[in-house]
Every structure is written in structure tokens, then in C-alpha cells.
């Protein structure tokens, strides 16, 4: 792929702090791996509101559409708590996801050996854990119509949301899951509530059909979403790729990610459809928010943001080896005993955001030597 353009939208709170460490890794790539990334910067969230009165501008949306990948820090904070609902920092994030039609949300849950003790599960259940949750991101009950709160004649109120999926929405996200499984351990688990919801039954039938017609070589199973929630804590290593709708994916991806320890460790990707040239819009961001409680104190863990950049290398630039290199460098630094506050353990060395970032660069130097 020749287009190596990145749009960085660092956002608010610890967003710019963790993105500074990502920039160092990008510079390292430029120097040591003979790839040239061109970086453009734009405002999002509260930082954008302060300058433009909106959480993201049309110009930034246009830039995001044409970038090879968008790297996002985080948005939000108490400073903007009273801003109009449609202009609040989070509205910028929702708009960029929607306008770029990022329908597939990839949330890996990987447990580094050095952090098996940080999980709330026993080490033997999480050691070596590597799951990918694929959540449908632009449809389902969060967007379905009718929706709203109405007053009833009897004086009560009624809240309504509608779970709705069309065939193409199911097939395109299931396809992402099968294609990921082809490059991983070759297994897909599809989750819905087909026992009580017609939309779940349609989901089940369409994913089943796609499997039979195009991906029969992939191991495949259906699981009810509530059973999956239970199995994730009972025996998480049985899963490889889990694909599910927006609502269940929201819950199951949070559950899976917590198997591995801290929010500061969790990357994510949101992918759009491939065009005829094989190019797709994509946004990569740490799962965590802007962490106003620790912003400006050099306490933030930059690993989630750095691992999100590694996902960009893998899924937007076909640079899987370089992504592996970054992940190995992170594993080595953790094995060496360095910890930011959020993953601190007895007997380990507590370090700042910048020291953690520098240690990863040093380890990259060692691995590439
Ligand atoms: P949060 O993820 O910002 O923080 C939750 C807790 O985790 C805090 O104690 C924080 O200090 C800690 N934490 C988070 N990331 C960390 C890191 N990298 N290193 C060390 N510790 C870390 O969630 P919150 O406090 O519920 O929300 C704060 C703001 O962020 C809100 O305005 C919320 O709307 C916004 N938010 C944004 C996103 C996003 O930009 N994608 C996601 C979630 C929340």
C-alpha cells in the first residue's frame, strides 16, 4: 500500500499525552523501517469545541475520509459538562464513526504473560489469552427507529428503542470476522439472542449462510449472547473471534477486555467497507477515555494508544511484521518490570508516561538490531 498518510486527532485530557508517545513510535518507524508516514493533525472533542464551537469540523471529516488511517486519543472532560448535547466532546467521536461508516469494531483482549496476575481471573485461565471481539458498530438498537420517550394518556411515560438489522449489515460484519479468523486461529463464534428476538434469528441465519457458502473451512459456532457472557469468564481461551451486534458487542467486549487487566492496555480499531481498490476508512483508538483525574500528571499508560497504532499497521497498511515488532517490544518492557501506575504491582518499577514510551522505543531498537 503506497498511501501512508495518518490523521492524528489527539483530543482531550490524556489523549494528547498518549498520542505524543505514539508519535515517537511513528518517528522510529520512519527512521528504522524505511517507511514514510505523512502526519496531519486536527482537533476533536472539547479541544475542537473551544476553537470552533463544535466537537468536530466538516474539514476534519473530509481529511479523515481521505487519510490512510485516523489515530484518535480520547475526548471529553468536566470542562465541557454543560455544553449543548449535540456539541459535547463525545458528539465528535460519534460523528466521525458515523460519517466514515465504521461498521466493524475490533476489540482484542490479549493477556501479556507479565500481567496475568493483574486479571481478576486465575492466571491459568488468562495466560496466553488472545481473543478478538468484532462488534457491529453502526446499526442495531442504538440507532433503530422508532425511538424516544413519550407521555401516555394514563400519566405514565414510555421509553422505546428498536433493534433492527438488514441483511447487508449482518453480512459485512460477519465477513470481517471470518477474514480475521483466517489470519488467526480459524474459529468464529457468532452471538445473538435468536431464542427470543427475530432480529437475532435473522442474524443467526445470515451468518450461517455466509459460513456455508464462503467460509466453510473456518470452524464456526453459534452461541446465545448470555451464554457467551458466562463462557467468557468460565473458559475464555475457547474463543478466537467472536462476532456480535452493537448492543451485545458493547457488553461482551467490555467484559472480555477486563480479563486482561487495565483500561490503559486496551487498543481498538473501527473499520469501514473496502472500496474497489481495497482501501477502507479506519479509525484506531485506545478503549480508555480522557481520564481527567490523571491528565497532565505524566501518569497515563501509553500502551493502549501504541497498540492501537500497531493495529493500524496491521489492518490499514498491511505491515503485520511491524505490528508484531511493536507488540513484542511492549511485552519485553512489561517482562522487564516497568509499570505505569494503573498496572503497578508489588516489586515492579513505577514509571511515567514518557519513561514507558522511551522504554518501548529502546526495546524496538534491540529487537530491530
Ligand atoms: P476513562 O477511561 O477516562 O477513565 C476511567 C479510569 O481509568 C480513570 O480512573 C482513569 O484514570 C483510568 N485510566 C483510563 N485510561 C488510562 C490510562 N491510559 N492510563 C492510566 N489510567 C487510565 O473513563 P471515564 O473516567 O468514565 O471518562 C472520562 C471522560 O472520557 C468522560 O468525558 C467520558 O465521556 C470520556 N470517554 C471518552 C472515550 C473516548 O474518547 N473514546 C471513551 C470513554 C470515556
Amino acid at each position: 500500500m503506497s498511501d501512508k498518510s495518518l490523521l492524528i486527532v489527539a483530543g482531550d485530557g490524556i489523549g494528547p499525552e498518549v498520542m505524543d508517545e505514539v508519535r515517537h513510535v511513528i518517528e522510529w518507524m520512519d527512521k528504522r523501517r524505511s517507511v514514510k508516514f505523512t502526519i496531519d493533525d486536527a482537533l476533536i472533542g472539547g479541544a475542537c469545541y473551544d476553537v470552533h464551537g463544535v466537537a468536530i469540523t466538516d474539514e476534519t471529516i473530509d481529511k479523515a475520509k481521505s487519510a490512510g488511517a485516523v489515530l484518535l486519543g480520547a475526548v471529553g472532560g468536566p470542562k465541557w459538562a454543560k455544553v449543548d448535547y449535540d456539541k459535547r466532546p463525545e458528539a465528535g467521536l460519534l460523528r466521525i464513526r458515523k460519517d466514515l461508516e465504521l461498521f466493524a469494531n475490533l476489540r482484542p483482549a490479549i493477556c501479556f504473560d507479565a500481567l496475568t496476575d493483574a486479571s481478576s481471573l486465575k492466571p491459568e485461565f488468562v495466560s496466553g489469552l488472545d481473543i478478538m471481539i468484532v462488534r457491529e458498530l453502526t446499526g442495531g438498537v442504538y440507532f433503530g427507529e422508532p425511538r424516544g420517550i413519550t407521555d401516555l394518556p394514563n400519566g405514565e411515560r414510555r421509553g422505546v428503542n428498536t433493534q433492527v438489522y438488514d441483511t447487508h449489515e449482518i453480512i459485512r460484519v460477519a465477513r470481517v470476522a471470518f477474514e480475521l479468523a483466517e489470519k488467526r486461529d480459524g474459529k468464529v463464534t457468532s452471538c445473538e439472542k435468536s431464542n427470543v428476538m427475530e432480529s437475532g434469528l435473522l442474524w443467526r441465519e445470515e451468518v450461517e449462510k455466509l459460513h456455508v457458502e464462503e467460509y466453510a473451512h473456518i470452524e464456526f459456532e453459534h452461541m446465545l449472547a448470555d451464554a457467551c457472557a458466562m463462557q467468557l469468564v468460565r473458559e475464555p481461551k475457547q474463543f478466537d473471534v467472536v462476532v456480535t451486534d452493537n448492543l451485545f458487542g458493547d457488553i461482551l467486549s467490555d467484559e472480555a477486555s477486563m480479563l486482561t487487566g487495565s483500561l490503559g492496555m486496551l487498543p481498538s480499531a473501527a473499520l469501514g467497507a473496502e472500496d474497489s481498490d481495497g482501501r477502507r476508512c479506519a479509525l484506531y483508538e485506545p478503549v480508555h477515555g480522557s481520564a481527567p483525574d490523571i491528565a497532565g500528571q505524566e501518569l497515563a499508560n501509553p500502551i493502549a494508544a501504541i497498540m492501537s497504532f500497531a493495529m493500524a499497521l496491521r489492518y490499514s497498511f498491511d505491515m503485520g511484521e511491524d505490528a508484531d515488532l511493536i507488540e513484542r517490544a511492549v511485552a519485553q518492557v512489561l517482562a522487564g518490570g516497568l509499570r505505569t501506575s494503573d498496572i503497578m504491582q508489588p516489586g515492579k518499577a513505577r514509571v511515567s508516561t514518557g519513561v514507558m514510551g522511551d522504554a518501548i522505543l529502546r526495546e524496538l531498537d534491540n529487537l530491530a538490531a
Side-chain angles (χ1 to χ4, degrees):
M1 182 143 184
S2 56
D3 180 11
K4 300 271 193 293
S5 63
L6 293 168
L7 177 68
I8 296 187
V9 279
D12 310 316
I14 63 169
E17 299 171 34
V18 295
M19 290 315 290
D20 278 349
E21 302 311 316
V22 174
R23 285 176 209 274
H24 295 154
V25 177
I26 298 169
E27 283 161 16
W28 185 91
M29 285 278 155
D30 282 354
K31 265 194 242 132
R32 299 294 303 268
R33 304 295 280 183
S34 331
V35 283
K36 185 78 199 136
F37 286 101
T38 52
I39 299 180
D40 200 354
D41 279 279
L43 297 172
I44 192 169
C48 186
Y49 177 82
D50 287 347
V51 177
H52 299 291
V54 287
I56 194 162
T57 62
D58 294 344
E59 192 195 353
T60 299
I61 293 287
D62 288 342
K63 283 182 179 177
K65 281 182 180 164
S66 58
V70 181
L71 305 180
L72 180 109
V75 298
K79 180 178 174 195
W80 302 282
K82 297 210 167 76
V83 166
D84 288 349
Y85 193 71
D86 62 331
K87 298 198 169 94
R88 72 200 191 285
E90 291 76 6
L93 189 53
L94 294 180
R95 179 164 174 215
I96 198 170
R97 285 178 183 157
K98 184 164 168 284
D99 286 11
L100 271 59
E101 291 183 64
L102 305 174
F103 64 84
N105 185 204
L106 276 50
R107 293 264 303 257
I110 298 170
C111 194
F112 288 97
D113 285 347
L115 294 183
T116 47
D117 290 342
S119 170
S120 49
L121 294 195
K122 293 187 189 119
E124 61 266 33
F125 286 103
V126 290
S127 121
L129 183 76
D130 182 356
I131 306 177
M132 178 71 83
I133 308 267
V134 181
R135 165 188 171 195
E136 199 291 324
L137 200 59
T138 51
V141 75
Y142 293 167
F143 296 95
E145 299 283 346
R147 63 185 298 159
I149 299 177
T150 49
D151 292 319
L152 298 177
N154 66 1
E156 290 192 20
R157 296 196 302 155
R158 174 175 292 160
V160 174
N161 291 91
T162 304
Q163 167 83 334
V164 52
Y165 273 109
D166 291 353
T167 310
H168 77 276
E169 296 175 286
I170 300 169
I171 288 178
R172 66 184 180 180
V173 72
R175 194 180 290 289
V176 169
F178 284 121
E179 282 170 10
L180 282 169
E182 272 175 340
K183 296 188 190 139
R184 294 170 47 95
D185 291 341
K187 180 177 175 191
V188 169
T189 306
S190 171
C191 296
E192 25 56 24
K193 287 286 287 174
S194 54
N195 54 342
V196 285
M197 296 168 73
E198 282 75 8
S199 59
L201 188 59
L202 182 77
W203 182 284
R204 184 182 169 113
E205 289 173 358
E206 293 298 337
V207 182
E208 173 95 46
K209 186 158 166 271
L210 182 67
H211 175 246
V212 170
E213 287 175 356
E214 294 184 40
Y215 298 97
H217 54 290
I218 301 282
E219 191 187 339
F220 177 65
E221 64 180 351
H222 299 283
M223 197 177 278
L224 295 177
D226 50 338
C228 182
M230 189 261 285
Q231 290 294 339
L232 274 171
V233 285
R234 186 173 169 271
E235 201 191 332
K237 282 192 259 180
Q238 71 183 280
F239 297 107
D240 177 25
V241 177
V242 176
V243 61
T244 188
D245 72 15
N246 203 343
L247 173 63
F248 297 135
D250 194 357
I251 297 162
L252 295 175
S253 62
D254 267 14
E255 186 191 2
S257 60
M258 274 300 103
L259 299 172
T260 70
S262 164
L263 263 178
M265 296 293 302
L266 300 168
S268 78
L271 308 180
E274 267 187 12
D275 64 17
S276 50
D277 301 329
R279 194 190 157 277
R280 61 175 11 140
C281 285
L283 179 141
Y284 299 87
E285 55 171 324
V287 168
H288 62 72
S290 58
D293 53 331
I294 58 165
Q297 301 170 49
E298 270 286 303
L299 288 175
N301 185 348
I303 292 177
I306 290 172
M307 300 266 287
S308 300
F309 174 58
M311 288 186 83
L313 295 181
R314 179 166 285 122
Y315 298 117
S316 284
F317 299 117
D318 203 14
M319 293 171 66
E321 277 180 25
D322 298 83
D324 287 346
L325 198 70
I326 292 174
E327 286 162 8
R328 286 217 307 280
V330 168
Q332 293 281 44
V333 167
L334 295 172
L338 298 194
R339 300 283 186 274
T340 42
S341 299
D342 57 315
I343 50 172
M344 187 57 193
Q345 294 165 304
K348 306 296 180 195
R350 188 190 299 265
V351 297
S352 66
T353 311
V355 171
M356 179 58 89
D358 289 348
I360 292 168
L361 294 180
R362 265 199 311 282
E363 208 49 62
L364 280 169
D365 276 338
N366 291 340
L367 289 170

